[in-house]
Amino acid sequence: MTISVTKQEVPEKPQDSEVVLSVQGVSKKFCRDLKKSLFYGVQDITSELLGIREKSETLRKKEFWALKDVSFELRRGEALGLVGKNGSGKSTLLRIIAGLIKPDTGSVEIKGRVAPLIALGAGFNPILTGRENIYANMAILGLSKQEIDERFDAVVDFAEVGEAIDAPVQTYSSGMAARLGFASAIHTEPDILLIDEVLAVGDIRFRAKCNRKLSKLREKGTSFILVSHNSNLILNICRESVYLSSGQVIDSGDTDSIISKYENDLFISKSTINSSTLFLPSKSLSESQGMDFRYLYFRDESENIVECLESGKFYRFCIGCEAHKPIDKLGINFGVREIAGEGDLVLYFSSNEDKSEVNVVNSGIFEIQLELPHLGLKPGTYTSTLSARQEGLFIFDSIDSFKFTVTANNSVSRSLFYQPRKWKLTQNIGVMKHDRD
């Protein structure tokens, strides 16, 4: 940082591979009112039994669309990410694909066995033992008793429940039940795995084991649909993704572009985007304390004034000033807070603390530049304060709220700030020290 004064590889998409899942025009509506929901349920069941129920795209009173006209395809060996805010319809879509609920309109065509990793252990009977629940759970997922017998030991070994396998599941910890549910599902060797925020099960060692198992399943041709708020996980596993919002497909395609769009929508509200420029009128001598701010804006590396910033890029923060007399011991303080955060200070710059050379200026109009080689802020909308001081106590002028917006081309949502970086592979560098020892 200088101050001056001037006058991640995702596997390739399977080529020509078989379509194992086709979702076409799927819509699902729910009712927010419990009494009406029960009434509509009885009405629909009766109509279906009588064979007179027709799929309707009309909402009844208190109903809303949890999904609306969703379509996509999944090929063998492909991993598809589903992203969107809470309430966007991701879990509802997975439950429809798993056959737990029916769509109101549209169709779902599946080739092969589906294993939903949605609520691990939720289908276990707490009174039954772990052994009994394995047989019941895997049978529901389509395995015969002989197939379960052949895989039983592998399930128990993977779940790491040991002698507790013959104890009632109600005596298990939540982690033990989740591990057993995960092990039961993946050992069915399904054609399609539906994964909904369950890859955080167990400690880091167990999670690594789960990821290795999933990788082997994918090598054998298993397809995944992955729902997660962990953007990096989606980026690492899925080549293509679908972005849902309020039950509708906002966009689909390359995961990098989908995650970037999702994060910009998530962190940057269109209603709060502010132009990153501010121009102020000149003050009279009676109004001024001796020096005043006249304008604030950012310039990029090509000296263009920019309205919206981007993480990791080069910028100059330009502070236009007007002094009515020569000033020495001038200090500029610049603090930044994230509007959507807790209000904590995320960046603070002080020209005096940085021992810059902007502390002596002549009368007239001048510009102070704060050079930022790599903007470290993650996507979001920020508000900043600015003050011009003399010896830290006397304040010439101040600005309480200068707002600006930051976007990103690459995903940085898991980081607190943008870190410039480069990756490099060095081979044949000789024997490592611990090998010599």
Side-chain angles (χ1 to χ4, degrees):
M1 179 190 68
T2 60
I3 300 179
S4 61
V5 58
T6 64
K7 278 217 162 177
Q8 68 205 189
E9 194 163 288
V10 178
E12 291 295 321
K13 180 179 179 179
Q15 298 296 320
D16 300 323
S17 54
E18 176 190 8
V19 174
V20 294
L21 171 66
S22 177
V23 175
Q24 299 298 326
V26 165
S27 299
K28 181 64 181 178
K29 54 189 174 184
F30 292 117
C31 182
R32 291 190 172 92
D33 184 273
L34 179 59
K35 290 183 178 179
K36 285 191 177 295
S37 178
L38 293 173
F39 173 74
Y40 293 152
V42 172
Q43 189 179 60
D44 292 342
I45 291 171
T46 303
S47 300
E48 192 162 329
L49 290 173
L50 295 175
I52 60 174
R53 184 184 178 190
E54 296 181 357
K55 292 185 177 181
S56 172
E57 295 189 5
T58 303
L59 292 177
R60 294 170 288 193
K61 189 174 182 180
K62 297 289 186 178
E63 285 187 328
F64 68 96
W65 290 112
L67 289 173
K68 182 64 174 174
D69 197 26
V70 175
S71 300
F72 62 88
E73 289 183 338
L74 180 68
R75 297 181 179 274
R76 186 168 301 281
E78 186 179 23
L80 181 73
L82 279 183
V83 300
K85 295 187 291 186
N86 289 333
S88 61
K90 304 186 299 298
S91 296
T92 299
L93 180 57
L94 290 193
R95 282 167 167 76
I96 288 175
I97 296 171
L100 301 177
I101 55 178
K102 291 183 177 181
D104 288 301
T105 62
S107 64
V108 177
E109 295 182 9
I110 298 171
K111 293 183 180 179
R113 177 184 296 141
V114 176
L117 300 180
I118 297 175
L120 296 178
F124 285 171
N125 187 319
I127 300 175
L128 299 180
T129 66
R131 181 186 301 273
E132 292 165 337
N133 272 293
I134 288 175
Y135 276 89
N137 195 262
M138 297 182 77
I140 291 172
L141 293 175
L143 269 67
S144 66
K145 183 178 183 305
Q146 181 180 348
E147 289 175 317
I148 301 173
D149 288 339
E150 293 170 353
R151 304 176 194 188
F152 180 82
D153 290 340
V155 172
V156 176
D157 181 63
F158 191 94
E160 301 177 4
V161 294
E163 296 178 357
I165 192 62
D166 288 311
V169 166
Q170 64 185 1
T171 65
Y172 288 14
S173 67
S174 58
M176 290 172 66
R179 294 201 305 271
L180 192 60
F182 188 94
S184 299
I186 62 176
H187 280 85
T188 63
E189 297 184 359
D191 296 285
I192 303 171
L193 261 177
L194 308 179
I195 307 172
D196 188 1
E197 297 285 6
V198 299
L199 292 183
V201 59
D203 55 29
I204 188 169
R205 181 191 57 80
F206 187 80
R207 292 199 299 271
K209 184 165 73 169
C210 293
N211 288 335
R212 288 193 295 271
K213 180 64 176 178
L214 292 174
S215 178
K216 289 180 180 178
L217 288 174
R218 187 171 181 184
E219 290 174 1
K220 293 179 179 179
T222 297
S223 303
F224 297 164
I225 294 182
L226 176 61
V227 171
S228 178
H229 288 103
N230 183 339
S231 296
N232 279 6
L233 185 64
I234 299 284
L235 286 164
N236 289 337
I237 296 177
C238 306
R239 183 177 179 82
E240 295 192 351
S241 294
V242 175
Y243 174 17
L244 289 176
S245 180
S246 300
Q248 296 182 308
V249 175
I250 301 300
D251 203 357
S252 63
D254 175 71
T255 294
D256 283 337
S257 61
I258 296 301
I259 291 294
S260 178
K261 179 175 179 58
Y262 165 58
E263 289 184 343
N264 280 340
D265 291 347
L266 182 65
F267 293 115
I268 303 170
S269 168
K270 290 185 173 75
S271 63
T272 60
I273 290 180
N274 293 273
S275 173
S276 301
T277 58
L278 177 65
F279 293 91
L280 301 166
S282 178
K283 293 181 181 178
S284 66
L285 287 175
S286 60
E287 296 174 315
S288 174
Q289 299 298 320
M291 196 213 84
D292 311 305
F293 293 123
R294 293 296 306 277
Y295 61 81
L296 304 175
Y297 53 71
F298 289 89
R299 289 186 184 272
D300 61 17
E301 203 163 13
S302 301
E303 295 298 326
N304 299 311
I305 296 176
V306 294
E307 301 295 326
C308 189
L309 311 182
E310 187 176 313
S311 295
K313 293 294 185 68
F314 175 99
Y315 293 104
R316 286 189 180 92
F317 181 46
C318 302
I319 308 167
C321 307
E322 182 177 8
H324 297 286
K325 60 182 180 180
I327 297 173
D328 61 0
K329 299 180 181 178
L330 173 65
I332 302 294
N333 296 338
F334 179 45
V336 179
R337 287 178 166 83
E338 188 177 10
I339 290 179
E342 300 295 326
D344 296 334
L345 199 65
V346 295
L347 275 180
Y348 180 78
F349 302 104
S350 169
S351 62
N352 285 339
E353 291 179 7
D354 292 337
K355 296 181 171 55
S356 72
E357 298 179 356
V358 304
N359 56 338
V360 179
V361 297
N362 296 318
S363 59
I365 295 177
F366 60 93
E367 181 177 285
I368 294 174
Q369 295 180 352
L370 173 63
E371 188 173 294
L372 306 169
H374 300 280
L375 181 67
L377 297 171
K378 67 180 183 180
T381 304
Y382 295 85
T383 182
S384 61
T385 57
L386 195 72
S387 64
R389 302 168 179 263
Q390 189 171 43
E391 294 183 323
L393 294 175
F394 184 83
I395 298 177
F396 290 110
D397 199 4
S398 64
I399 294 176
D400 293 331
S401 180
F402 170 61
K403 296 178 181 178
F404 59 92
T405 299
V406 179
T407 62
N409 276 335
N410 297 316
S411 174
V412 295
S413 66
R414 295 193 69 197
S415 302
L416 295 177
F417 60 91
Y418 176 86
Q419 171 61 54
R421 65 271 193 190
K422 289 183 179 179
W423 295 83
K424 182 180 179 182
L425 173 64
T426 303
Q427 294 179 315
N428 300 322
I429 60 174
V431 180
M432 302 297 290
K433 182 180 185 301
H434 67 267
D435 292 332
R436 294 198 301 268
D437 295 342

